[in-house]
Amino acid sequence: MIYICIPAHNEARTVGVLIWKIRKVMADFGRDYQIRVLDDASTDGTDAVLARYRGVLPLRVRRSEARLGYSAALEALLRDAVAEAPYPKRDVVITLQGDFSENPEGIVPLVKTLEGGADVVAGVRDPAHPQGTRSVRLTRWAAGFLLRGVLRGAPVSDPLLGFRAYRVIVLKKALRGLDQGPLLTAEGWGANLELLGVVTPHARRIEEAELSGTGHRVRESRFSSLSTLQDLFRVRGKVRWDASA
């Protein structure tokens, strides 16, 4: 089973198109899957959009009435998948955003690479496509300096991108190693970096897969350079990789 996990906050304009695109991709791919969305206290009708697809897609929706934030919503989805996966050594979790900034066609190379023996597969954007707004590109540049020692030892070339595939057993081991605390404490890129850091000790092989193109986001980005860099600064001490790796 492939669990496609999507945290969503006020994504009424994108989440319906996104999950319908996932349906097409997975129909062509021919694997069993389930889409799991956490509606994080949306106020724009996201819940009504999702309700239209419940009867026609393998879709499960969980709603939080209080705003959780990206990391807590993502962690809740990961915990649900780990708790329900019948074959944790074989089952897969895919993480992607609800704003359709990531092309669901990338699910196929991620899963195929994982089926080839990897435990974690990180997406890598096609360099031929733009890497976000000017603010995003400048923040990436600044993050490179801020995380110079951390990123140098990372097991993938882009540890900030959250479009990934995880073997469920790896997530299960990472959660088991917690002392009743949260798995993730940062937001956005910080959470993506943090999650890679906590699963790496439990993964035998970590590989990359190139993602084809970008998504079709139709709303303005909520990206904040300042808060992103603050989160990265907070978590950089928690993420440790062998610099020689």
Side-chain angles (χ1 to χ4, degrees), residues 3 12 16 28 32 34 42 85 156 158 164 169 186 189 206 219 228:
Y3 298 94
D28 294 340
D32 292 333
Q34 186 180 100
S42 296
V156 298
D158 188 358
R164 300 180 188 139
I169 188 64
W189 291 357
I206 298 177
R219 65 156 175 79
T228 296

Side-chain angles (χ1 to χ4, degrees), residues 9 25 46 49 69 101 118 133 158 160 243:
H9 172 67
V25 169
T46 293
V49 173
S101 59
T133 64
D158 188 358
L160 304 181

Side-chain angles (χ1 to χ4, degrees), residues 160-226:
L160 304 181
L161 185 65
F163 195 5
R164 300 180 188 139
Y166 302 88
R167 202 175 295 275
V168 170
I169 188 64
V170 172
L171 294 169
K172 188 172 185 176
K173 289 178 178 177
L175 288 167
R176 191 186 299 151
L178 296 176
D179 186 18
Q180 299 186 344
L183 183 71
L184 303 174
T185 60
E187 292 294 323
W189 291 357
N192 297 335
L193 178 68
E194 194 174 13
L195 182 54
L196 183 64
V198 296
V199 300
T200 293
H202 307 287
R204 294 168 301 173
R205 282 172 56 187
I206 298 177
E207 297 188 15
E208 296 182 318
E210 187 171 300
L211 305 175
S212 56
T214 58
H216 303 279
R217 178 164 52 198
V218 295
R219 65 156 175 79
E220 291 186 5
S221 172
R222 301 175 190 139
F223 181 83
S224 166
S225 296
L226 179 59

Side-chain angles (χ1 to χ4, degrees), residues 88-101:
K89 291 184 179 179
R90 189 173 67 196
D91 294 335
V92 180
V93 166
I94 299 287
T95 56
L96 75 163
Q97 299 183 75
D99 63 356
F100 210 167
S101 59

